Amino acid sequence: MAMTPTEAALFEAAGPHARRRILIGTIATSLVFAALVVWLLMRLDANGQFDPQYWDLFASVNTWKFLGAGFIGTIRASLSAGVIALVGGLVLMFGRISGIAPVRWLATAVIEFVRGTPTLLFIYFFFLVPSQFGIHMSTYWMVVIPVSFYASAVLAEVYRAGVQAVPAGQREAAESLGLGRWQVYSSVILPQMFRIIVPTMVTQLVVVVKDTTFGYVVTYPEMMQNAKVIVANSTSMLPVYLVVALIYILVNYAISRFARWLSSRSDVKILAA
C-alpha cells in the first residue's frame, strides 16, 4: 500500500533487503494466522458449533430487526458522544494552554484524571450517583455523557498536539498584523490545526463506538446489549457474538479507511498550499 505524503515524510522508504524481509515476515505471519483460523474452525466444528440449530435464528427477520435496532442505538450514542467530545475537547484544550494559571491547572488535572480512568467507571458513576440526588437520567445519557467525557480528554491532547504542530512563525506573523489572541486562533491556527488532526479525530470515533458497548451496564439498547438479549433467549451464544463482532469490525474498518482517505486529502491540500 502506497504511503501518504505525511507517512513518506515521517518514515524512510524501505530498501530492497528491508522489503524482502517485510515480505517474508508478512507471508510467515499470514500462514500462521491462517493455520490458527483453520484450527479454530476445526475445533468449533468438532464441538458442533456449526450445527444448523445454532444458526437458524439468523433466518428470522425479527433477529435482524432486533440487531438492527441495537445498531441504530450504537450509532446514535456514538454520534452524539462524538459531537459532544469535539466541542468538549476544544474547551479543555484552550483551558490547558490558557495563560491563566488556575484555569490551566484545572484543565490539566481534569484531562489527566479522565484519561487515566476507565470509561466503565464513569458509566457506573452516572448510573449510581445522580439518582441518589433525585436526578433521573435516561440510559441513553448514562452512556453518552461518560463516553463523550473520556473522548473529550483524549481529543484535548490531540488538539493541543495539532496547535503545537502549526509553525510558530504563523502565530508571529498574525500578531505582527495586529490580530488579537482569539483572532490569531480563529483565523490562523485553528484552520491549520484541524487540517492536521482531522484523520486522528475520525479515528477516535472508533474508540467511541467501542466504548458504547459498555451500555450493557445500564441496559441501554445498543447492539451488544441486544445481542445479550438474543443469547439469553436462545442457545446460540457463539454465533450471535461472532456476527456482532463482524459487524463491529466492518464499521470500525470503514471508519479507519475514511480516516486514511481524509489524511491523504489533507496531505494533498497542504502540499498544494
Side-chain angles (χ1 to χ4, degrees), residues 68-80:
F71 180 77
I72 292 174
T74 295
I75 297 302
R76 284 182 62 236
S78 299
L79 290 178
S80 297

Side-chain angles (χ1 to χ4, degrees), residues 2-15:
M3 293 191 296
T4 64
T6 297
E7 292 171 337
L10 294 175
F11 304 103
E12 182 180 357

Side-chain angles (χ1 to χ4, degrees), residues 108-125:
T108 301
V110 171
I111 291 171
E112 295 303 325
F113 172 76
V114 174
R115 290 175 63 206
T117 305
T119 306
L120 184 58
L121 291 183
F122 288 123
I123 293 179
Y124 274 119
F125 176 86

Side-chain angles (χ1 to χ4, degrees), residues 60-100:
S60 171
V61 176
N62 291 331
T63 299
W64 291 106
K65 283 184 177 180
F66 196 59
L67 283 178
F71 180 77
I72 292 174
T74 295
I75 297 302
R76 284 182 62 236
S78 299
L79 290 178
S80 297
V83 171
I84 295 173
L86 291 176
V87 179
L90 204 58
V91 172
L92 288 174
M93 183 273 290
F94 276 120
R96 181 148 193 178
I97 64 175
S98 172
I100 304 174

Side-chain angles (χ1 to χ4, degrees), residues 70-88 140-141 143-145 147-149 151-152 155 159 201-202 204-213 220 222 248 251-252 255 258:
F71 180 77
I72 292 174
T74 295
I75 297 302
R76 284 182 62 236
S78 299
L79 290 178
S80 297
V83 171
I84 295 173
L86 291 176
V87 179
Y140 172 76
W141 289 111
V143 174
V144 170
I145 294 177
V147 171
S148 61
F149 197 35
S152 295
L155 283 175
Y159 288 148
M201 288 168 52
V202 176
Q204 181 60 29
L205 186 58
V206 173
V207 179
V208 172
V209 171
K210 290 190 293 185
D211 281 350
T212 59
T213 59
Y220 171 67
E222 45 81 40
Y248 274 113
V251 170
N252 291 330
I255 294 173
F258 181 59

Side-chain angles (χ1 to χ4, degrees), residues 163-228:
V163 168
Q164 293 175 343
V166 177
Q170 299 283 334
R171 185 199 307 267
E172 295 169 357
E175 291 175 346
S176 68
L177 294 175
L179 297 181
R181 177 181 174 85
W182 291 109
Q183 288 178 309
V184 171
Y185 272 96
S186 62
S187 302
V188 178
I189 296 179
L190 291 185
Q192 296 183 71
M193 178 268 286
F194 278 114
R195 181 177 294 178
I196 294 171
I197 68 168
V198 157
T200 307
M201 288 168 52
V202 176
T203 303
Q204 181 60 29
L205 186 58
V206 173
V207 179
V208 172
V209 171
K210 290 190 293 185
D211 281 350
T212 59
T213 59
F214 291 131
Y216 75 89
V217 173
V218 296
T219 65
Y220 171 67
E222 45 81 40
M223 190 160 55
M224 186 60 72
Q225 171 63 21
N226 284 13
K228 288 171 63 69

Side-chain angles (χ1 to χ4, degrees), residues 32-50:
V32 171
F33 180 74
L36 180 62
V37 171
V38 171
W39 175 81
L40 180 61
L41 293 176
M42 291 175 63
R43 293 295 301 167
L44 292 175
D45 184 58
N47 286 279
Q49 292 298 321
F50 293 118

